[in-house]
Amino acid sequence: MNVVLLGPPASGKGTQAKLLADRGFLHLSTGDMLRAERNACTDLGCRIATALDAGELVSDELVTELIRQRLSGQHVNVVFDGYPRTVKQAASLDSLLASFAQTVDVAIALTVDTHLLLSRMTKRYCEQGRSDDNPDSLRRRLQSYDEMTSQLFPYYRKRGVLVEIDGMPQVDVVSSQIAAHIGRYQ
Ligand code: AMP
């Protein structure tokens, strides 16, 4: 099955996606892929460094290509973390999956109050030094989530695959709610 994890930065998408990976899901995080390119100073990494640090989205084509390279018709369970982030990316993911006669089975949206997001991101900035958790970048990432990614709610709701889950409780509480929803599709 194909699971899309939606949620603003620091909503816990990465943590929950890793827990699904422990259960055998292929975890595809465009943020991790882009950071790896940047840290390895590849040509692509150099081109995207400024956008990443500024908290701006990179191009739809680029992230879709990264996902396309990692997907094959052989995959059984995949969790998409941080992709899609725009309606254009969602449409590209649909076509990509359709080429394997598959579809997005469930889109799980983690909802978290802005105050908690800000405090989580500030903590992560201090503890992990993630360069795009700085206050300016943070504002831009929240803004792009509100302006672009939130359009995916109606996109997936219309198809009856959107599930909204409160992302504020402890990690294990959130993960058991996710597991309960996913269990219905497996
Ligand atoms: P994330 O780790 O998912 O928060 O992503 C970190 C950064 O990578 C984002 O702020 C964007 O600059 C870039 N990025 C990750 N995924 C995407 C995507 N699907 N579309 C555009 N940019 C992305």
Side-chain angles (χ1 to χ4, degrees), residues 46-62:
C46 291
R47 277 192 279 128
I48 57 166
T50 314
L52 275 192
D53 290 347
E56 287 162 6
L57 294 186
V58 306
S59 78
D60 292 329
E61 291 72 22
L62 172 57

Side-chain angles (χ1 to χ4, degrees), residues 60-109:
D60 292 329
E61 291 72 22
L62 172 57
V63 282
T64 295
E65 178 54 22
L66 290 176
I67 291 288
R68 196 192 60 75
Q69 287 169 4
R70 285 162 179 83
L71 272 187
S72 78
Q74 309 302 314
H75 68 267
V76 181
N77 292 320
V78 183
V79 54
F80 296 92
D81 161 15
Y83 179 90
R85 262 177 158 91
T86 65
V87 169
K88 193 167 173 202
Q89 291 177 22
S92 299
L93 179 60
D94 285 340
S95 322
L96 209 51
L97 292 175
S99 68
F100 306 124
Q102 295 190 21
T103 183
V104 169
D105 299 288
V106 58
I108 293 179

Side-chain angles (χ1 to χ4, degrees), residues 13 15 18 29 35 66 69 83 99 101 108 116 119 132 138 142 148 152 156 162 170 172 185:
K13 291 190 304 294
T15 303
K18 284 188 188 89
S29 158
R35 273 186 294 279
L66 290 176
Q69 287 169 4
Y83 179 90
S99 68
I108 293 179
L116 183 58
S119 79
D132 61 346
L138 220 146
L142 285 173
M148 315 280 284
L152 297 180
Y156 287 123
L162 183 74
Q170 296 295 314
D172 55 335
Y185 298 86

Side-chain angles (χ1 to χ4, degrees), residues 109-183:
L110 298 177
T111 54
V112 177
D113 281 354
T114 307
H115 276 101
L116 183 58
L117 292 177
L118 291 171
S119 79
R120 283 183 184 174
M121 284 194 271
T122 309
K123 190 161 172 258
R124 194 164 69 179
Y125 186 47
C126 296
E127 286 177 0
Q128 298 174 15
R130 202 176 122 168
S131 53
D132 61 346
D133 281 334
N134 70 74
D136 279 347
S137 164
L138 220 146
R139 240 189 322 274
R140 245 173 252 123
R141 289 161 64 209
L142 285 173
Q143 192 183 350
S144 85
Y145 184 79
D146 287 343
E147 287 173 4
M148 315 280 284
T149 312
S150 63
Q151 293 176 24
L152 297 180
F153 281 57
Y155 184 92
Y156 287 123
R157 189 178 289 123
K158 218 184 289 173
R159 292 182 16 194
V161 297
L162 183 74
V163 174
E164 290 185 70
I165 287 182
D166 180 3
M168 312 249 277
Q170 296 295 314
V171 170
D172 55 335
V173 176
V174 178
S175 69
S176 57
Q177 293 206 30
I178 292 177
H181 280 287
I182 284 178

